[in-house]
Amino acid sequence: FSNPVQDILGSGTKVDFARRLSADMTIRQSLESLVKGLKAEARIAYDNSADINDDKTFDYTYYNFAPIYDTAGNLSDYSLSQFGNDTGMSFSSYLSTQFMHMSVWGKLGWERNFGEHHINAAFVFNRDKRSYTWANNSFIHHDFILGGNYDYAGKYLATLSASYSASSLMPKGDKFRFYPAISLGWIISK
């Protein structure tokens, strides 16, 4: 049998390193000097994690002792069988897993009040990308969104939006789709 203590303590080391990075940044800017009610906002987020394995291993020699008995059942001799070989230290380092996620988001918005009329509109861009260690494991999503809201005296509401979105999971040549929406509301309590 091999030596279990030697197997655990004396055949090298295995060290796993985990690296994590998370970064987020938001910038907001008023553009009132250009157009009253205009503002811009941008966000970027980046996350990266990786697990790296460093292995240092060597092998060692061990023996199997087998007693030999004569016909009377007395110990007459023994045999030693050698297993394994003493080797020098070998080193390997490899990336076992990695995940990267990057998101970019931007918004140009306008908001104004004209008496009891309230209007706001915005154009939004979003790009989200996720990548994993293995081949063919990157996913990208895009959004171009144009939307506007109107309310009169906080009683009558209307929203119009249009999204032109894409996903890398969609078939080639058909990744972008157009999604329009409209809603109307009336707050009866007012």
Side-chain angles (χ1 to χ4, degrees):
F1 300 100
S2 64
N3 181 338
V5 175
Q6 180 74 18
D7 286 343
I8 294 169
L9 301 176
S11 59
T13 61
K14 179 176 178 142
V15 179
D16 297 330
F17 296 100
R19 173 176 54 82
R20 306 286 182 262
L21 169 69
S22 293
D24 297 294
M25 182 174 69
T26 300
I27 298 172
R28 292 182 183 97
Q29 179 64 50
S30 171
L31 301 173
E32 292 270 346
S33 61
L34 299 173
V35 175
K36 190 169 182 174
L38 190 63
K39 57 187 170 185
E41 189 172 350
R43 295 181 193 154
I44 187 167
Y46 180 74
D47 299 320
N48 188 325
S49 65
D51 296 314
I52 301 161
N53 300 89
D54 283 346
D55 296 340
K56 296 176 184 173
T57 59
F58 61 90
D59 201 2
Y60 60 93
T61 303
Y62 62 95
Y63 298 90
N64 184 26
F65 174 83
I68 299 173
Y69 298 97
D70 61 18
T71 55
N74 298 318
L75 179 65
S76 63
D77 204 357
Y78 64 89
S79 70
L80 286 177
S81 300
Q82 180 179 333
F83 295 93
N85 292 307
D86 290 329
T87 62
M89 182 78 68
S90 67
F91 177 77
S92 67
S93 181
Y94 58 94
L95 178 67
S96 62
T97 60
Q98 185 172 20
F99 170 71
M100 292 179 286
H101 178 205
M102 184 170 183
S103 180
V104 177
W105 181 91
K107 176 182 176 183
L108 185 62
W110 177 76
E111 185 171 7
R112 291 287 305 272
N113 287 319
F114 301 98
E116 298 216 38
H117 303 275
H118 178 79
I119 301 171
N120 72 34
F123 172 73
V124 176
F125 168 77
N126 181 54
R127 183 179 192 270
D128 193 60
K129 180 178 181 182
R130 298 167 191 258
S131 299
Y132 300 89
T133 307
W134 309 278
N136 301 319
N137 278 323
S138 290
F139 305 100
I140 301 173
H141 182 85
H142 283 93
D143 289 307
F144 298 94
I145 304 166
L146 185 60
N149 298 304
Y150 168 80
D151 79 74
Y152 177 73
K155 183 175 181 180
Y156 303 104
L157 312 169
T159 301
L160 177 65
S161 64
S163 172
Y164 190 58
S165 299
S167 171
S168 61
L169 300 176
M170 300 295 284
K172 189 174 183 175
D174 191 26
K175 298 206 181 277
F176 278 90
R177 298 277 175 95
F178 179 68
Y179 302 96
I182 189 168
S183 66
L184 300 172
W186 174 33
I187 300 176
I188 298 172
S189 62
K190 293 189 177 184

